[in-house]
Amino acid sequence: MEKQILHVDVNNAFLSWTAVEMLKQGNQIDIRDIPAIIGGDESKRSGIVLAKSMKAKECGIKTADTIYQARIKCPNLQIFPSNFKIYRKYSNELYNLLLEYTDKIERFSIDECFLDMTNYLRGDTLLNKGYEINKRVEKELGFTVNVGVANNKLLAKMASDFTKPNKVHTLWKEEIPQKMWTLPISELFMLGKKTVPKLLNMQIKTIGDLAKTEKSKLEKKFGKHGVLMWEYANGIDNTEVKYLPEKPKCVGNSVTLPKNISDINKLEEIVLTISEQVAYRLRKEKLYANTVNVQLRTKNFEDTSHQKKLPEVTNTTKQIYLTAKELLHEMYRKGQEIRLVGVRVDNLVESKENQISLFDENKDEKQEKLDKVIDTLRSKYGYDSVTRATKMDVEEIVKLKKEE
DNA sequence: TCTGGGGTCCTAGGACCC
DNA sequence: TCTGGGGTCCTAGGACCC
């Protein structure tokens, strides 16, 4: 039996949600009706476009443009900051509404869900359910969604992307030639800016061209990715809607520094601050890490990363920091101007039980107790209620910038 | 005043083992 | 004398997504 899949995608999510929130706060104008974007903070050198209104899109503004570019494209642009707390709130409102239709919902991202409706149609059609969800979200939640209607996840996702906003589109098997094969290859899910030029070089311009290309030829050139793109171009996707919550496979944080840094001592302090955050999140997930990874980005956008497998799993701030510090020293070349620092833990496991330890006693016990005290304080009074004396906090970095 | 931050998955090469 | 062939684990880097 064919699967019955819906893909629900919030239109201009961050901007729409900000608009709804502002209206709720009594704001007179709806920022969806003017040239507006949600953007990062240029003074923190994270000035990129995260979401745009239709009017801003008409100016040619694209997601991930720099705000600098966006302002040139549209001089009377209005810029609003992001607020992930609000986004999570509206994302949850959407999820709760969708739960009335099926409990098989995969939260693909903060603003996208896949619904497996296969056993939940109750005599109705999938398309009708799609329309109903589209109308109800607008009426009850105040923002709009696109809904893709199909027999697998890939086709549902492609369908929801057709024309926006506030639309419902089907993409049945027999519609693939007219609706999907006519599109340029850049529109196909999982074809990014590195692969598209390579395909164009092979005279593969549309998704239809790709679908008709010999699968073995693509496999030879692109490996597994080649097989995947061929299958997607032909509308083939047998993956299930993953509705059960999954543990993360890695946990990481990174910061773009307000100013490039060449001082290894300052970099160490930043690595400490980030290690602390990462370890805290790891413990909140009740996970242990096998591997620590440090990433550096220079002022020229050259990225390097080094990683190290630990002798035994850990979730203590101390272990993660000490390893990260070691990696930092291993990587950092004197004089390099560092723009971004990141720390990540990988190969996460749920417990340290099945670890073969040579000793019976737990030598991390003291650290674990200390971490626990701090975690409790933070969950009660907020993350910043506990700070380190050596920590280079935001104020200090900003001060450093002003001295310039 | 150019260029975020959070992820997942894959690949290629080296080390090491039998 | 002219150099196997598997397999696993680890690391660095890259591609893609939202």
Side-chain angles (χ1 to χ4, degrees):
Chain A
M1 174 165 173
E2 292 259 50
K3 286 201 278 270
Q4 307 292 319
I5 307 294
L6 296 177
H7 180 248
V8 178
D9 191 341
V10 179
N11 300 127
N12 311 322
F14 294 176
L15 188 118
S16 300
W17 288 337
T18 304
V20 173
E21 187 68 15
M22 285 171 70
L23 292 173
K24 236 182 238 174
Q25 306 291 326
N27 212 289
Q28 294 302 308
I29 48 157
D30 187 330
I31 65 167
R32 285 171 289 193
D33 301 331
I34 60 170
I37 59 164
I38 304 300
D41 186 341
E42 283 174 298
S43 72
K44 289 190 194 146
R45 303 201 300 177
S46 56
I48 64 157
V49 175
L50 298 168
K52 59 208 179 293
S53 67
M54 295 307 282
K55 283 244 168 65
K57 191 180 177 178
E58 285 163 22
C59 301
I61 293 170
K62 296 191 177 69
T63 303
D65 275 356
T66 62
I67 294 176
Y68 178 77
Q69 290 169 327
R71 225 188 257 105
I72 292 170
K73 288 177 183 174
C74 176
N76 58 339
L77 188 67
Q78 298 244 33
I79 302 164
F80 300 90
S82 58
N83 184 339
F84 282 83
K85 229 174 140 175
I86 286 174
Y87 305 156
R88 252 186 297 276
K89 182 181 89 176
Y90 286 104
S91 176
N92 289 339
E93 285 185 13
L94 174 63
Y95 180 68
N96 288 330
L97 187 149
L98 297 178
L99 274 177
E100 294 178 31
Y101 293 85
T102 171
D103 49 14
K104 292 191 176 167
I105 302 176
E106 175 177 346
R107 300 185 80 166
F108 191 65
S109 72
I110 198 162
D111 65 340
E112 283 180 44
C113 289
F114 287 104
L115 280 64
D116 186 342
M117 300 290 294
T118 309
N119 296 310
Y120 298 80
L121 291 177
R122 301 190 193 96
D124 205 348
T125 66
L126 187 62
L127 182 58
N128 276 341
K129 294 290 188 196
Y131 277 118
E132 192 182 318
I133 287 169
N134 171 270
K135 290 282 160 288
R136 277 194 62 197
V137 172
E138 183 178 21
K139 195 169 166 219
E140 296 173 30
L141 304 181
F143 54 89
T144 64
V145 293
N146 260 37
V147 181
V149 181
N151 291 126
N152 68 39
K153 284 166 70 180
L154 183 268
L155 292 174
K157 181 154 172 65
M158 292 301 294
S160 70
D161 213 30
F162 285 159
T163 58
K164 297 169 177 177
N166 206 5
K167 293 271 199 316
V168 179
H169 298 287
T170 60
L171 185 48
W172 308 116
K173 292 253 151 53
E174 59 274 18
E175 295 177 308
I176 289 174
Q178 323 93 278
K179 287 189 175 179
M180 190 166 86
W181 283 356
T182 48
L183 298 173
I185 44 167
S186 54
E187 296 292 306
L188 188 63
F189 182 62
M190 287 303 283
L191 288 190
K193 62 176 194 281
K194 296 286 176 182
T195 311
V196 167
K198 291 179 191 163
L199 290 171
L200 291 176
N201 267 336
M202 297 164 73
Q203 303 305 315
I204 297 168
K205 297 185 179 108
T206 65
I207 297 177
D209 294 340
L210 184 60
K212 288 166 214 147
T213 305
E214 200 65 47
K215 181 161 80 164
S216 56
K217 189 178 165 187
L218 294 165
E219 183 170 16
K220 209 170 169 190
K221 191 161 169 69
F222 299 101
K224 276 192 181 181
H225 189 216
V227 176
L228 186 78
M229 65 176 86
W230 183 87
E231 286 176 350
Y232 280 5
N234 281 285
I236 300 166
D237 173 23
N238 297 316
T239 61
E240 299 290 327
V241 171
K242 291 192 224 131
Y243 58 94
L244 298 170
E246 286 180 27
K247 289 279 187 184
K249 309 242 180 345
C250 67
V251 175
N253 288 103
S254 62
V255 271
T256 292
L257 307 166
K259 183 178 175 300
N260 297 334
I261 291 184
S262 315
D263 178 348
I264 186 83
N265 294 313
K266 294 268 193 298
L267 292 172
E268 263 185 27
E269 287 177 20
I270 293 158
V271 164
L272 170 61
T273 306
I274 302 173
S275 298
E276 220 176 359
Q277 284 172 16
V278 169
Y280 176 66
R281 289 177 56 206
L282 187 65
R283 292 191 293 269
K284 243 178 25 178
E285 294 281 355
K286 300 200 189 319
L287 291 171
Y288 294 84
N290 265 302
T291 310
V292 177
N293 180 304
V294 172
Q295 181 199 0
L296 295 179
R297 173 175 295 160
T298 67
K299 65 167 180 187
N300 301 323
F301 272 75
E302 296 145 345
D303 285 338
T304 49
S305 69
H306 278 203
Q307 67 183 66
K308 194 176 175 187
K309 197 175 183 317
L310 300 166
E312 53 187 320
V313 296
T314 192
N315 66 5
T316 67
T317 295
K318 191 180 170 188
Q319 266 313 311
I320 291 168
Y321 168 60
L322 289 178
T323 312
K325 191 169 92 169
E326 209 180 298
L327 289 164
L328 170 69
H329 281 272
E330 183 184 304
M331 296 164 77
Y332 184 70
R333 302 278 165 266
K334 213 168 175 233
Q336 273 185 324
E337 294 193 59
I338 301 303
R339 178 191 172 91
L340 172 143
V341 180
V343 176
R344 204 181 68 214
V345 287
D346 274 296
N347 298 310
L348 309 183
V349 291
E350 303 225 10
S351 80
K352 54 192 296 185
E353 295 316 324
N354 44 17
Q355 280 278 123
I356 306 139
S357 181
L358 295 174
F359 310 100
D360 272 336
E361 100 273 26
N362 177 1
K363 58 185 160 70
D364 283 338
E365 209 172 340
K366 250 176 79 179
Q367 283 306 318
E368 285 173 0
K369 274 183 184 157
L370 182 65
D371 285 337
K372 202 169 175 183
V373 170
I374 293 170
D375 290 353
T376 307
L377 284 171
R378 283 183 162 155
S379 63
K380 253 188 204 161
Y381 305 110
Y383 186 85
D384 289 330
S385 63
V386 185
T387 53
R388 286 188 189 249
T390 55
K391 179 171 141 186
M392 179 194 235
D393 53 21
V394 181
E395 283 89 345
E396 203 173 334
I397 297 173
V398 170
K399 202 172 80 194
L400 218 132
K401 193 178 159 64
K402 279 183 186 152
E403 285 166 11
E404 187 58 352

